[in-house]
């Protein structure tokens, strides 16, 4: 009698137990789907984080390196204008001596190589600024993979022009030797970061709604 009673009760409760498990499973799926739907997502995909970081660091280093008054050190300043005194370091736009930092005066008669180094530094900063601005906007605006490839090309151009700022070493101001200093080291670091930004940019971006990162 008891066996029949328990068997009947078990059979009666079994469908209810299965229904309960099915409800829990369905609710779990709904929760997972809602969580995935509510996750934050960058407009151009998460893969733009990498080149965005590289471009930000490179642009910062470019600005700092180009503006410092110690791009290169001066071993012998005898070939430089006497009014400058005992020059210790040279930058693209200013120099340092024992009395402090100074902007270049009209007494400095720069050659073509020095002017070219200045022009290349301006070009690198201008191109780099556009690349950095693009990545700043890519977090809230959708850009396709083609746009990121174009920006990658400009990142490589920034690499090239930043490297050409070392034309200063071919100027007469470095005829007596100019070891690289803080500004030049920042420029070298910027070259590396611009190159990384350009290369990694080729794998970022989204073409249409629903595309995955880098797909």
């Amino acid at each position: 009698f008891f066996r029949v009673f328990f068997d009947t009760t078990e059979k009666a409760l079994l469908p209810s137990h299965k229904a309960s498990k099915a409800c829990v499973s369905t609710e779990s799926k709904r929760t997972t789907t809602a969580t995935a739907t509510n996750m934050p997502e960058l407009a151009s995909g998460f893969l733009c984080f990498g080149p965005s970081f590289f471009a930000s660091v490179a642009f910062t280093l470019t600005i700092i390196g180009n503006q410092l008054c110690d791009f290169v050190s001066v071993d012998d300043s005898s070939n430089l204008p006497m009014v400058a005194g005992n020059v210790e370091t040279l930058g693209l736009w200013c120099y340092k001596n024992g009395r402090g930092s100074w902007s270049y005066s009209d007494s400095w008669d720069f050659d073509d190589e020095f002017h070219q180094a200045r022009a290349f530094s301006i070009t690198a900063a201008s191109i780099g600024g556009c690349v950095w601005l693009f990545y700043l906007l890519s977090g809230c605006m959708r850009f396709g993979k083609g746009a990121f490839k174009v920006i990658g090309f400009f990142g490589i151009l920034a690499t090239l022009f930043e490297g050409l700022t070392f034309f200063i070493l071919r100027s007469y101001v470095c005829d007596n030797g100019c070891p690289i200093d803080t500004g030049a080291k920042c420029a070298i670091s910027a070259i590396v970061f611009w190159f990384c930004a350009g290369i990694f940019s080729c794998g970022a971006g989204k073409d249409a709604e629903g595309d995955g990162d880098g797909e």
Side-chain angles (χ1 to χ4, degrees):
F1 170 77
F2 288 106
R3 180 178 298 176
V4 173
F5 173 76
F6 284 120
D7 287 344
T8 305
T9 304
E10 184 178 359
K11 291 179 181 180
L13 293 177
L14 187 57
S16 176
H17 178 66
K18 290 182 177 180
S20 177
K21 290 180 64 178
C23 290
V24 172
S25 178
T26 304
E27 186 65 27
S28 177
K29 289 181 180 179
R30 289 178 180 174
T31 303
T32 303
T33 304
T35 302
T37 304
N38 294 329
M39 286 182 64
E41 183 178 359
L42 289 179
S44 298
F46 284 104
L47 285 184
C48 68
F49 265 130
S52 176
F53 168 76
F54 290 130
S56 298
V57 175
F59 182 59
T60 302
L61 290 171
T62 296
I63 297 300
I64 293 175
N66 292 349
Q67 295 298 321
L68 288 177
C69 299
D70 51 1
F71 195 89
V72 293
S73 300
V74 177
D75 291 335
D76 183 2
S77 61
S78 59
N79 63 325
L80 302 179
M82 294 297 296
V83 68
N86 185 24
V87 177
E88 299 174 352
T89 60
L90 293 171
L92 294 170
W93 308 97
C94 56
Y95 66 95
K96 286 183 179 180
N97 57 22
R99 296 174 295 169
S101 302
W102 308 87
S103 298
Y104 292 114
S105 62
D106 294 337
S107 60
W108 291 78
D109 186 19
F110 293 121
D111 52 12
D112 290 340
E113 286 75 12
F114 196 94
H115 287 298
Q116 288 169 0
R118 279 180 160 182
F120 289 137
S121 73
I122 295 174
T123 305
S126 300
I127 295 176
C130 293
V131 174
W132 176 78
L133 181 61
F134 171 85
Y135 279 112
L136 187 66
L137 295 176
S138 67
C140 55
M141 298 176 61
R142 179 178 294 274
F143 292 101
K145 292 184 290 185
F148 276 88
K149 286 181 173 62
V150 172
I151 288 298
F153 170 74
F154 280 104
I156 299 299
L157 278 184
T159 303
L160 173 64
F161 285 112
E162 185 64 24
L164 291 175
T165 59
F166 285 89
F167 259 55
I168 190 176
L169 298 176
R170 302 179 58 181
S171 173
Y172 83 92
V173 298
C174 289
D175 283 346
N176 295 333
C178 284
I180 63 173
D181 210 306
T182 305
K185 292 176 182 178
C186 288
I188 293 173
S189 300
I191 290 171
V192 175
F193 279 100
W194 279 131
F195 182 77
C196 291
I199 294 299
F200 282 100
S201 180
C202 296
K206 288 184 175 183
D207 277 340
E209 289 291 343
D211 287 352
D213 288 349
E215 294 181 0

